[in-house]
Amino acid sequence: MNITFEERMRESINRPRIYFDHAATTAPRAEVIDVVAKILREDFGNPSSFYNEGHRAARLLEDARTTIASCLDVLPEEIFFTSCGTESDNWAIKGAAYARQGKGRHLITTTIEHHAVLHSMEALEREGFEITYLDVDHRGMLDSEKVRDAIRDDTILVSVMMANNEIGTILPIKEIGAICREAGVLFHSDGVQALGAIPVHPQELNTDMMSFSGHKLYAPKGIGLMYKRKGARINSLIDGGAQEKRQRGGTENVAYSAALAKALEMSLADMEHESRRQMVLRDRLIRGVIERIPHTKLNGHATERLPNNANFSFEFIEGESILLFLDKLGYACSSGSACTSASLDPSHVLLAIGLPAEIAHGSLRVTLGIDTTDEDIDSFLFDLPLVIERLRNMSPLYSDYRRGKLQPLIPEEGSLDLKIDGSYGWPS
Ligand SMILES: *Cc1c(COP(=O)(O)O)cnc(C)c1O
């Protein structure tokens, strides 16, 4: 029985598609959609209005805030609604920088942050702030002592993500937060990928601010959260009305705020069981891929890793062709992050963990979710080797390797924890 790629492609028309890109966005839960529809139909009022419809809307908004605060173990007045995770990251970083520039103009972050953080930092750099970008190791792990060493008298903010969106590595933010607190420096963490997947308690984690996003959590796109510790003073970025305690103008998105509260409540109610379930699927996927496909490595940390994330590099493959072929077979995956897949530059995260550009280009991110089944993994483990084999057969690098003209960087047996040193052995 030797099924070819073409046969699988013809068959795939009759199979339901399999969504493996939950780190990019998630489908809203049915119960969450019901919450949105009900509020849009029945409670369209403006929460700032002084009559019944307004009071009802304000009540729904504050109920959502209270629910979220209790999920995170913080005070309702420490929860702010924003338009997305990106806005929350911008607000925390620029708001802190502008509020504290009298004390100093130095900020610290890492090389593997989301672009919402990195580009906020770069914007500040253009305004004369100085940024230290801390390196991570080949697993994407940051040594918290590096933060201590980087803090100076004029340091005003440290921003380190809780979990990386591309390679899934979970960073030691509790330790980093303790170091910042001791030094009297504000600490922000992008918790977008962590929330709902692993326990997130901003206070216990010693953070002053954390960013979150609805659509990574089975709520709609267009709603985000910021946790800001009472007493952490930062500037506003959105000037306008007196909404969100005068700190973020704009008529509140009542329906989506309630949706986010509902989605968070549901994710947390089920988190222990669901994360363990996804971890079992993830580990079967990782082992299966490394076993079935030669010259393959896992990117990210083998254990300190989000339950739903697998990220692989396949040697001798160029470009984003893996994604196109998988798409034809019915799978939605990512090569890095959704933001980088529009450009041909290799992902900054994969470069930061030391992958040569050529290896980074042959990378694939598979992120599981609440809808992922055992059968999805089986089917993928059947199809992915067909795709890789087909692409390698078209690859001049692979043919050079087969003729002994190229040394592989990833050994044939593959690796769960490979550090690649040196440059790629391109044929001259
Ligand atoms: C998706 C994501 C963001 C951006 O959130 P949006 O709501 O899409 O703006 C920020 N940080 C991380 C780690 C993310 O995964």
Side-chain angles (χ1 to χ4, degrees), residues 88 118 133 140 154 193 215 228 231 240 243 269 299 423 427:
S88 302
L118 285 180
Y133 298 92
D154 61 342
Q193 291 287 335
H215 74 101
K228 182 161 70 66
Q243 293 92 354
N299 295 316
S423 62

Side-chain angles (χ1 to χ4, degrees), residues 130-148:
E130 191 187 333
I131 319 292
T132 297
Y133 298 92
L134 297 175
D135 286 327
V136 295
D137 71 10
H138 72 283
R139 307 173 179 98
M141 187 53 78
L142 177 68
D143 176 359
S144 56
E145 287 307 309
K146 280 193 171 177
V147 176
R148 193 193 301 280

Side-chain angles (χ1 to χ4, degrees), residues 376-416:
D376 294 345
I377 303 294
D378 292 335
S379 157
F380 192 68
L381 286 176
F382 182 86
D383 284 326
L384 184 64
L386 294 178
V387 168
I388 301 296
E389 189 190 347
R390 194 188 156 100
L391 289 171
R392 282 187 175 157
N393 286 339
M394 300 172 1
S395 153
L397 289 174
Y398 191 59
S399 99
D400 280 339
Y401 159 68
R402 296 296 293 267
R403 284 181 293 143
K405 288 170 68 182
L406 181 65
Q407 272 303 107
L409 285 177
I410 303 174
E412 184 166 356
E413 69 274 18
S415 171
L416 293 175

Side-chain angles (χ1 to χ4, degrees), residues 160-345:
V160 176
M161 70 198 323
M162 186 164 180
N164 184 269
N165 48 302
E166 292 191 39
I167 55 174
T169 301
I170 298 169
L171 290 98
I173 65 160
K174 187 176 177 176
E175 286 170 41
I176 295 167
I179 290 168
C180 294
R181 194 144 290 176
E182 200 187 310
V185 173
L186 278 181
F187 178 48
H188 165 252
S189 183
D190 178 329
V192 171
Q193 291 287 335
L195 191 60
I198 56 176
V200 177
H201 301 291
Q203 219 169 2
E204 211 178 292
L205 291 168
N206 300 315
T207 63
D208 296 296
M209 294 169 284
M210 288 193 82
S211 311
F212 305 107
S213 172
H215 74 101
K216 307 291 177 77
L217 193 72
Y218 307 96
K221 284 166 268 297
I223 184 80
L225 281 184
M226 169 123 104
Y227 158 76
K228 182 161 70 66
R229 189 177 56 75
K230 222 173 135 185
R233 227 170 274 286
I234 68 171
N235 282 15
S236 303
L237 296 188
I238 312 283
D239 298 313
Q243 293 92 354
E244 300 295 299
K245 293 177 284 302
R246 298 187 178 278
Q247 296 181 64
R248 196 244 179 213
T251 303
E252 302 90 337
N253 193 337
V254 179
Y256 280 17
S257 302
L260 179 43
K262 179 75 178 174
L264 179 58
E265 239 183 342
M266 289 185 72
S267 284
L268 295 191
D270 201 27
M271 186 173 73
E272 243 183 85
H273 166 261
E274 182 56 28
S275 288
R276 199 165 310 127
R277 190 189 75 88
Q278 288 183 29
M279 225 182 272
V280 169
L281 294 177
R282 175 200 69 186
D283 290 345
R284 193 157 73 78
L285 169 73
I286 291 173
R287 264 197 308 279
V289 166
I290 303 271
E291 273 168 24
R292 284 172 176 73
I293 305 175
H295 303 289
T296 297
K297 83 178 279 287
L298 178 72
N299 295 316
H301 203 287
T303 53
E304 295 299 304
R305 180 176 202 104
L306 286 173
N308 77 332
N309 175 293
N311 188 309
F312 306 99
S313 289
F314 306 100
E315 196 165 1
F316 316 118
I317 296 184
E318 294 172 78
E320 312 260 301
S321 38
I322 308 169
L323 291 192
L324 299 179
F325 279 56
L326 283 174
D327 189 25
K328 284 189 199 297
L329 291 183
Y331 302 93
C333 300
S334 163
S335 60
S337 67
C339 330
T340 51
S341 55
S343 80
L344 283 175
D345 294 335

Side-chain angles (χ1 to χ4, degrees), residues 35 39 43 47 55-71 76 79 81 244 254 257-262 264-265:
V35 165
I39 293 177
D43 288 289
H55 298 321
R56 285 171 58 102
R59 176 68 180 277
L60 286 168
L61 185 70
E62 293 320 309
D63 284 351
R65 200 186 310 278
T66 304
T67 298
I68 291 166
S70 103
C71 286
I79 294 296
F81 290 106
E244 300 295 299
V254 179
S257 302
L260 179 43
K262 179 75 178 174
L264 179 58
E265 239 183 342

